[in-house]
Amino acid sequence: SRRRIAKERKALIVEGQIDALRLIREGFNYTVAGQGTAFGDGHAKELLNLGVETVFLALDADNAGKEAACKIGDLFQKEGVEVRVIALPPGSDPDSYLRQQGATAFEYLLEKSHDYLTFLVEHRARSINMASPAGKNQLVQQVSQQIRLWNQPLMVHESLRKLAHLAQVPENMIGVGQQFVPNLYIKKQESAG
């Protein structure tokens, strides 16, 4: 998969190795197994070093898979990489879906995938009463704080604008247009002693 990922600048991340092997066998040989919640910064860095511009997440259609998609998607969005989340039917995973529906049907799911921010807002809204002003405020605050931690200022600006649209709130209420300092990592120097 490494060669095709580098050539096409896209990667498909699944939870398990069986899912990855099934997808690779069916021609989706830009697939890697993220091992669910074990996927971290180091894994993201490997794919970023290959030059990925788009990452597809095809994680299991259960709550753990959706939470993993929130976490993994954030790792790439903060670096300015486009993230698309594939909506598998409830209770399925890529392996079972491909065995039952075939590669053409999976390709259709890829084409109909949701952008990360839409997925994130819809997923977080499931546990919050969006009809309540307090609930909507909680969701908007939670997601906007996450966005502000991303490293690309334009990505932060455009994502805040999209969040305002998705939550149906005025852009200035969530700080669109305000200057934010990008997330900087400052290493402490150890004292020579």
Side-chain angles (χ1 to χ4, degrees):
S1 293
R2 190 176 189 86
R3 195 174 304 127
R4 186 165 175 200
I5 290 169
K7 181 181 179 192
E8 296 186 21
R9 299 196 178 287
K10 67 181 179 181
L12 173 57
I13 300 173
V14 296
E15 281 185 54
Q17 294 160 336
I18 300 299
D19 294 323
L21 292 172
R22 172 76 57 192
L23 280 158
I24 290 167
R25 182 174 160 217
E26 295 291 335
F28 301 93
N29 58 345
Y30 53 96
T31 304
V32 295
Q35 304 304 339
T37 56
F39 193 96
D41 283 322
H43 301 99
K45 208 164 273 179
E46 284 292 322
L47 291 172
L48 291 168
N49 288 340
L50 291 175
V52 293
E53 294 171 354
T54 306
V55 169
F56 293 92
L57 302 177
L59 305 176
D60 296 359
D62 56 16
N63 197 55
K66 289 177 181 172
E67 283 299 317
C70 291
K71 176 190 161 205
I72 295 168
D74 185 65
L75 294 172
F76 289 99
Q77 288 279 139
K78 76 177 185 181
E79 299 301 334
V81 173
E82 177 73 20
V83 175
R84 309 286 307 170
V85 181
I86 296 163
L88 289 165
S92 67
D93 60 29
D95 175 49
S96 64
Y97 187 83
L98 274 164
R99 281 187 284 120
Q100 293 167 4
Q101 304 296 325
T104 304
F106 190 82
E107 185 68 47
Y108 179 78
L109 290 181
L110 276 172
E111 291 169 14
K112 298 295 177 194
S113 60
H114 298 289
D115 66 271
Y116 175 74
L117 200 54
T118 300
F119 162 79
L120 181 67
V121 169
E122 288 175 0
H123 178 64
R124 294 285 182 240
R126 286 191 178 110
S127 61
I128 293 173
N129 178 8
M130 289 297 286
S132 147
K136 185 182 267 194
N137 181 62
Q138 179 186 353
L139 175 90
V140 169
Q141 290 301 315
Q142 187 181 68
V143 175
S144 65
Q145 285 173 2
Q146 178 180 337
I147 291 169
R148 285 188 185 97
L149 294 175
W150 295 349
N151 296 329
Q152 306 294 325
L154 184 60
M155 191 78 164
V156 170
H157 175 78
E158 290 300 317
S159 296
L160 287 173
R161 288 185 66 207
K162 183 165 186 129
L163 173 60
H165 172 75
L166 291 169
Q168 299 177 344
V169 297
E171 290 182 2
N172 64 345
M173 294 201 77
I174 58 172
V176 173
Q178 293 177 7
Q179 193 67 29
F180 291 102
V181 177
N183 189 18
L184 300 174
Y185 297 94
I186 301 170
K187 290 184 177 179
K188 290 183 178 179
Q189 291 185 335
E190 292 183 28
S191 58

